[in-house]
Amino acid sequence: MHSILAVDDSASMRQMVAFTLKNAGFNVVEAVDGQDAWEKASQRDFDLVLTDQNMPRMDGISLVKKLRENPKFKTTPILILTTESSDAMKQAGRAAGATGWLVKPFDPAKLIEVIGKVIR
């Protein structure tokens, strides 16, 4: 069973994402912001990280950069799921090492489809 780290400062969004992923058969660990995610990621491996962009303590792009610096997350797919849709922000995400960019509100079927394409 694939393990996914779902990061979002909104409890309701985390619940929706976790519900969608669990129903698709994934094991989900939730984090409340980038700092919480970083602490959880340093304690165990994940097959994919799904993170929001705008969060307190550490935003999504900063989290992507930190994860990419860690050898065990060099090739882990990292998707940013956010309300941000500007080209400049997407480019910053790609430059940081994000695998993909999804815009909220998300379509559960599309989210699962994208994860299916990038997860190993």
Side-chain angles (χ1 to χ4, degrees), residues 2 4 8 19-20 24 27 41 44-45 48 55 60 66 69 78 85 88-89 94 100-101 103 105 108 111 120:
H2 289 294
I4 296 178
D8 203 304
F19 178 80
T20 300
N27 176 28
R44 60 175 287 186
D45 292 342
L48 182 133
M55 299 178 289
K66 257 183 112 78
E69 289 168 3
I78 305 175
S85 61
M89 193 61 92
R94 272 195 299 276
W101 192 277
V103 179
L111 177 63
R120 292 166 199 46

Side-chain angles (χ1 to χ4, degrees), residues 7 31 33-34 43 47 49-53 57 61 68 74-75 81 83 90 95-96 99 104-105 109-110:
V7 192
D33 60 27
Q43 293 166 5
D47 299 300
V49 177
L50 182 65
T51 182
D52 184 20
Q53 165 51 22
R57 297 203 307 156
I61 288 175
R68 290 296 185 224
K74 274 272 186 267
T75 60
L81 176 64
T83 54
K90 288 178 185 173
T99 310
K104 293 178 193 171
K110 177 112 174 88

